[in-house]
């Protein structure tokens, strides 16, 4: 929780707010019937980000890697971590977990595919 507190104090936006910034929209919004100027980091937000395949450059939807029709991951840009660094991070998070999480889903066999008409979708051959 200390890391989330520091992120909030520094004004670092959560992924939802960062995405809004990149899209030219205002941060914050309505959640659970309350209006927020900006969303906050929580003890749940941080692990979710650290477990996301987006750290290795994969586009994700619902926590799963989105794939081209060919099965290769749709990439969103230069990844902040290498595959080896991401795997080491996942191993470290698993070692620190209290055993209440279900086993980690891999990024190599997830079925999500870019939707038809998406600019990331490989045209049919």
């Amino acid at each position: 929780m200390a890391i989330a507190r520091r992120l909030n104090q520094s004004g670092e936006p959560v992924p939802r707010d960062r995405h809004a910034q990149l899209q030219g929209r205002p941060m914050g919004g309505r959640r659970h019937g309350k209006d927020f100027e900006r969303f906050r980091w929580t003890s749940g937000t941080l692990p979710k980000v650290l477990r996301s395949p987006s750290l290795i450059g994969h586009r994700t939807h619902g926590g799963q890697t989105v794939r081209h029709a060919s099965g290769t991951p749709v990439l969103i840009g230069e990844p902040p971590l290498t595959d080896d660094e991401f795997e080491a991070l996942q191993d470290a998070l698993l070692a620190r977990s209290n055993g209440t999480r279900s086993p980690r889903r891999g990024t190599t066999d997830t079925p999500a595919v870019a939707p038809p008409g998406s600019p990331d979708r490989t045209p049919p051959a």
Side-chain angles (χ1 to χ4, degrees):
M1 190 65 177
I3 295 171
R5 186 173 21 257
R6 283 192 299 232
L7 288 168
N8 287 322
Q9 290 170 345
S10 72
E12 186 66 34
V14 297
R16 181 176 177 173
D17 281 343
R18 180 66 181 133
H19 183 71
Q21 283 180 325
L22 293 172
Q23 298 295 316
R25 295 183 283 117
M27 294 192 306
R30 190 167 193 74
R31 183 165 187 157
H32 303 296
K34 295 182 182 178
D35 290 323
F36 294 92
E37 185 175 317
R38 70 181 200 82
F39 293 105
R40 300 183 58 76
W41 289 95
T42 66
S43 59
T45 309
L46 193 55
K48 185 175 179 181
V49 169
L50 294 175
R51 288 185 172 95
S52 173
S54 62
L55 289 175
I56 50 175
H58 294 191
R59 177 176 302 277
T60 61
H61 181 76
Q64 294 185 340
T65 294
V66 177
R67 298 186 173 281
H68 292 287
S70 65
T72 61
V74 174
L75 302 178
I76 56 175
E78 192 66 32
L81 299 178
T82 66
D83 288 350
D84 289 340
E85 291 168 332
F86 182 73
E87 288 302 318
L89 174 61
Q90 301 316 299
D91 292 343
L93 291 170
L94 186 59
R96 292 178 52 98
S97 75
N98 61 10
T100 59
R101 264 185 71 75
S102 58
R104 182 171 64 89
R105 288 183 289 193
T107 59
T108 58
D109 58 359
T110 54
V113 175
S118 167
D120 296 315
R121 175 96 181 200
T122 303

